[in-house]
């Protein structure tokens, strides 16, 4: 942990790291080999049976909240590759006086991007020609990923979920595109909410993206999106977060660091082995947490069992 502490001190002193500092940070925070040379699960290894049991005990009311956006079937600035949903057969084709009949449909999804709620697999990001745990990028081929695929979550991902409500810390309704969240603000949210992020947690960071969209209208995400500053990376490693999710894409866009379009993706996924959930709908969860004054819950992810997949669409569930 000495290198992590050193990286944290550097971040606290200088704010957003420079390109060179971030390259060193990627090495300092790297989890390659931590769970064995053949590991493909990364920080999911932090979710032990005891951690899952702790999480299940948080489901006291039986109240469930979905954290997914509806599958986006309409093209837009944030959705250039919409979900394909075609009806194969419907009731308007069936005889009213017939016997057995049914409806059926077809769904095609390109999960990556700025619109569909999805979990990034550890093979999604290449870093210096490698993917998580030092495997070659050539293990991710045009016929699918042979290492670090979405099958790391094939048995489901169940842990304690923790929401950090950043607009409340800023006394605001929502963050503006491009605004970057600091590790000090993450800790301020913990203090305000009376809890602490622990090893193996699934951490969700709320920026108010959808609330802002309702208030100000949509904009192209690559023109700006609120998210974490790269200086938060040592904090995520120090707390040993298993998965991070956001109503944005975790990264603040633009990143503010030359040569690093998405530093959280590059370092957290490829170096730290932390799966990321992009494009969550956290409005219902935020309301539930604020009403209860409670920001921890049982959190359940069930990614598709897609051999060789680089991501999976999700319907994440928070259960109180």
């Amino acid at each position: 942990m000495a290198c992590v502490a050193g990286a944290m001190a550097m971040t606290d002193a200088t704010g957003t790291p420079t390109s060179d500092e971030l390259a060193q940070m990627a090495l300092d925070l790297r989890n390659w080999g931590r769970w064995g040379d053949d590991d493909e699960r990364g920080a999911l290894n932090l979710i032990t049976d005891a951690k899952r049991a702790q999480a299940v005990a948080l489901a006291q009311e039986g109240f469930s909240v979905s954290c997914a956006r509806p599958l986006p079937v309409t093209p837009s600035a944030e959705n250039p590759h919409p979900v394909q949903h075609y009806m194969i057969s419907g009731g308007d084709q069936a005889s009213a006086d017939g016997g057995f009949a049914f409806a059926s449909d077809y769904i095609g999804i390109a999960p990556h991007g700025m619109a569909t709620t999805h979990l990034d697999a550890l093979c999604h990001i290449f870093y210096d020609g490698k993917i998580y745990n030092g495997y070659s990028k050539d293990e991710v081929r045009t016929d699918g990923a042979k290492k670090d695929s979405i099958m790391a979550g094939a048995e489901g991902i169940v842990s304690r979920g923790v929401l950090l409500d950043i607009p409340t810390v800023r006394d605001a309704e929502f963050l503006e595109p491009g605004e970057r969240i600091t590790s000090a603000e993450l800790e301020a949210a913990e203090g305000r909410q009376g809890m602490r992020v622990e090893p193996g947690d699934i951490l969700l960071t709320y920026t108010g993206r959808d609330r802002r969209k309702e208030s100000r209208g949509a904009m192209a995400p690559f023109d700006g999106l609120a998210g974490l500053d790269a200086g938060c990376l040592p904090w995520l490693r120090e707390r040993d977060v298993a998965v991070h999710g956001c109503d944005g894409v975790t990264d603040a866009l633009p990143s503010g660091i030359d040569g690093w379009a998405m530093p959280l993706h590059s370092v957290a996924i490829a170096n730290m082995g932390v799966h990321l959930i992009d494009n969550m709908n956290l409005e219902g969860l935020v309301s539930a947490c604020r009403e209860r004054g409670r920001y921890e819950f049982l959190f359940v992810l069930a990614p598709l069992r897609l051999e060789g997949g680089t991501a999976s669409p999700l319907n994440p569930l928070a259960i109180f």
Side-chain angles (χ1 to χ4, degrees):
M1 292 295 293
C3 62
V4 175
M8 189 67 186
M10 175 277 294
T11 303
D12 287 344
T14 64
T16 302
T18 65
S19 179
D20 289 344
E21 288 170 338
L22 188 53
Q24 183 60 49
M25 189 183 293
L27 298 178
D28 292 344
L29 305 180
R30 181 171 285 176
N31 277 324
W32 295 4
R34 180 178 177 184
W35 295 286
D37 292 340
D38 59 350
D39 178 58
E40 299 181 43
R41 289 175 49 79
L44 294 182
N45 287 289
L46 296 165
I47 306 176
T48 62
D49 290 347
K51 186 70 184 182
R52 279 185 284 270
Q54 174 200 17
V56 169
L58 295 173
Q60 301 167 0
E61 302 173 42
F63 179 72
S64 178
V65 183
S66 169
C67 297
R69 294 180 166 200
L71 288 176
V73 298
T74 304
S76 68
E78 66 181 14
N79 186 35
H81 304 291
V83 172
Q84 299 173 338
H85 180 210
Y86 305 139
M87 293 302 296
I88 296 173
S89 61
D92 52 352
Q93 298 172 316
S95 171
D97 57 1
F100 176 74
F102 58 88
S104 61
D105 48 6
Y106 163 88
I107 302 170
I109 303 174
H112 294 294
M114 304 294 184
T116 300
T117 305
H118 68 274
L119 180 70
D120 286 335
L122 298 184
C123 63
H124 174 46
I125 299 294
F126 307 147
Y127 187 86
D128 286 344
K130 304 286 187 181
I131 56 175
Y132 166 72
N133 218 19
Y135 298 118
S136 169
K137 66 176 179 57
D138 296 336
E139 296 285 357
V140 189
R141 309 183 335 189
T142 52
D143 60 346
K146 307 307 175 184
K147 295 289 186 181
D148 291 352
S149 80
I150 200 65
M151 289 295 286
E155 302 303 321
I157 302 170
V158 178
S159 191
R160 175 185 183 236
V162 174
L163 176 75
L164 294 185
D165 184 350
I166 303 304
T168 299
V169 169
R170 296 192 180 189
D171 195 23
E173 283 191 72
F174 45 76
L175 275 58
E176 291 291 345
E179 290 189 341
R180 299 196 291 271
I181 299 164
T182 66
S183 56
E185 289 179 305
L186 297 177
E187 292 187 354
E190 285 182 312
R192 188 183 186 101
Q193 296 168 194
M195 38 74 69
R196 180 180 174 86
V197 177
E198 300 172 353
D201 283 348
I202 299 175
L203 171 61
L204 310 178
T205 303
Y206 175 64
T207 72
R209 175 186 179 185
D210 291 292
R211 187 175 293 262
R212 185 198 182 280
K213 183 177 179 179
E214 291 178 4
S215 175
R216 306 280 177 83
M219 61 183 293
F222 278 106
D223 289 341
L225 203 61
L228 299 185
D229 186 272
C232 292
L233 284 161
W235 190 91
L236 296 176
R237 174 63 177 79
E238 181 183 13
R239 297 303 181 89
D240 259 344
V241 169
V243 179
H244 183 266
C246 186
D247 49 3
V249 294
T250 294
D251 280 282
L253 303 176
S255 70
I257 307 173
D258 290 341
W260 294 77
M262 301 182 78
L264 271 295
H265 274 65
S266 295
V267 179
I269 293 178
N271 288 281
M272 293 166 58
V274 175
H275 289 73
L276 300 183
I277 314 169
D278 291 341
N279 308 313
M280 304 182 76
N281 180 353
L282 295 176
E283 297 300 332
L285 180 57
V286 167
S287 295
C289 288
R290 290 175 178 175
E291 288 171 5
R292 290 164 174 76
R294 177 184 167 195
Y295 292 81
E296 62 173 355
F297 35 82
L298 170 63
F299 202 62
V300 179
L301 307 175
L304 299 178
R305 296 175 66 101
L306 178 61
E307 295 281 359
T310 67
S312 173
L314 284 179
N315 182 14
L317 298 177
I319 305 169
F320 290 86

